Amino acid sequence: MTTATPTVGAGVQPPAPLTRAARVRKRLNSRTATLVSIVLALLWTIPTFGLFISSFRPEDQIKTTGWWTFFSDPQFTLQNYQDVLFSTGSSGQLASYFINSLAITIPSVLFPIAFASLAAYALAWINFRGRDWLYIGIFALQIVPLQMALVPLLRFFSTGVTVGGVQLLPAWDLVDEQKFAQVWFAHTCFALPFAVYLLHNFISQLPGDLMEAARVDGATHPKIFRTIVLPLITPALAAIGIFQFLWVWNDLLVALIFAGGGDETAPLTVRLAELAGTRGNEWQRLTAGAFVSIVVPLLVFLSLQRYFVRGLLAGSVKG
């Protein structure tokens, strides 16, 4: 007696294999990945939590005991924040430096995003001679250390550009708040290679049929970029914006070199470096000042976090 082997009936399709993106997503949603993520989050959060607790502790407590002793002997004070934000002495006036950091950071984020999105679209969807070599050159610029460009940039700002005894560009000769422009220029130059690379990977994967249909309808490149590409690359723009905001907000070297250390242009990081005092003994002010500097980047990240992972993984997987 023979038994019939089951066969797939007509019209019944076998289950489609998982794509690479689906396999990666499945692994990241496993229990092990979740547990590892929770452990890493706790380890990453503990120092920030300790900084937060220390910022409300009195000076004598901070200098004699660790922050964890707060749970056995809780003591609160707002004097640290009062000193760093509104005090007129050498340890205060952090509020004015806070405004300087915003004046430096916001344009330093918007400029590279705008220029990089335009460049990435051109490199992805406009055919011209040398396009691939130009993209490779931009990609290679990511390996150039920032410190190597500081002296040439500073010379460019102070003396201009001279070729064969002919001055092509004059010196900038900026003073006081005008020096913000030098910081914007420097941060834009340093951010463009990575921003162009990430956006190019995202834009190049947009459906070609969509672009072709827009061209058939008579849309020009500016209209395609404005009405089709920009709405679709919002996750990538948000990811770049977060990276650039955190980098510029926490930067000390570039702002100190190109904006100077004066009260009119110095960012928050310059003031934080001074809060510890000449002997490094003003810990209570440093904890409060450091936590004030964390607030704005934290708000930016939380407000854009839903775009962050999608933008960070743009172009890394297909399917």
Side-chain angles (χ1 to χ4, degrees):
M1 180 176 179
T2 60
T3 58
T5 57
T7 58
V8 178
V12 178
Q13 300 292 333
L18 293 176
T19 62
R20 184 180 301 177
R23 291 196 298 268
V24 172
R25 194 178 299 112
K26 183 178 180 180
R27 292 175 182 175
L28 292 178
N29 289 332
S30 64
R31 292 184 178 180
T32 303
T34 302
L35 180 61
V36 171
S37 299
I38 293 175
V39 172
L40 291 177
L42 289 175
L43 293 176
W44 193 270
T45 306
I46 287 176
T48 304
F49 179 72
L51 183 68
F52 177 73
I53 293 296
S54 297
S55 67
F56 290 101
R57 302 181 71 208
E59 177 181 355
D60 59 333
Q61 291 289 316
I62 291 178
K63 294 182 176 180
T64 56
T65 59
W67 64 268
W68 49 89
T69 60
F70 165 82
F71 300 102
S72 59
D73 183 21
Q75 296 186 35
F76 278 100
T77 181
L78 294 176
Q79 187 61 41
N80 299 333
Y81 287 93
Q82 178 69 27
D83 290 342
V84 300
L85 288 174
F86 308 111
S87 174
T88 57
S90 59
S91 63
Q93 299 177 346
L94 200 64
S96 62
Y97 292 84
F98 192 89
I99 301 301
N100 291 343
S101 286
L102 288 177
I104 290 174
T105 304
I106 294 176
S108 297
V109 172
L110 296 180
F111 288 154
I113 288 179
F115 295 147
S117 59
L118 292 171
Y121 174 80
L123 291 170
W125 292 103
I126 299 179
N127 293 320
F128 56 89
R129 181 176 297 179
R131 182 185 67 173
D132 294 339
W133 286 107
L134 179 60
Y135 175 69
I136 293 174
I138 294 175
F139 174 79
L141 286 175
Q142 296 183 73
I143 67 174
V144 178
L146 179 151
Q147 293 80 2
M148 290 182 61
L150 294 179
V151 173
L153 266 180
L154 190 60
R155 183 176 180 181
F156 168 69
F157 292 141
S158 59
T159 63
V161 177
T162 303
V163 178
V166 179
Q167 189 172 42
L168 301 180
L169 292 175
W172 288 39
D173 292 331
L174 303 179
V175 295
D176 298 334
E177 290 84 357
Q178 296 175 349
K179 290 185 178 180
F180 284 144
Q182 298 181 164
V183 186
W184 301 339
F185 186 91
H187 278 303
T188 300
C189 293
F190 299 145
L192 278 177
F194 175 73
V196 171
Y197 168 72
L198 183 61
L199 287 175
H200 176 271
N201 286 352
F202 199 102
I203 294 176
S204 63
Q205 292 187 14
L206 297 179
D209 295 340
L210 184 63
M211 304 296 179
E212 188 63 28
R215 295 192 189 99
V216 171
D217 291 338
T220 60
H221 283 297
K223 187 174 183 180
I224 293 174
F225 176 78
R226 185 178 65 254
T227 60
I228 298 177
V229 175
L230 275 182
L232 294 176
I233 65 173
T234 300
L237 295 178
I240 294 173
I242 291 175
F243 274 122
Q244 182 67 359
F245 191 96
L246 294 177
W247 165 255
V248 177
W249 184 269
N250 294 323
D251 171 70
L252 171 64
L253 181 62
V254 175
L256 186 61
I257 290 177
F258 296 116
D263 295 341
E264 300 84 4
T265 57
L268 197 60
T269 50
V270 173
R271 192 56 179 161
L272 287 177
E274 300 171 351
L275 280 179
T278 56
R279 299 177 182 269
N281 57 352
E282 302 295 340
W283 297 352
Q284 76 284 357
R285 297 169 185 168
L286 188 59
T287 56
F291 199 82
V292 168
S293 70
I294 292 176
V295 172
V296 173
L298 189 62
L299 293 177
V300 171
F301 179 80
L302 292 178
S303 62
L304 298 176
Q305 65 174 336
R306 61 186 180 130
Y307 300 109
F308 181 71
V309 175
R310 283 186 290 167
L312 187 61
L313 297 178
S316 60
V317 293
K318 293 184 179 180

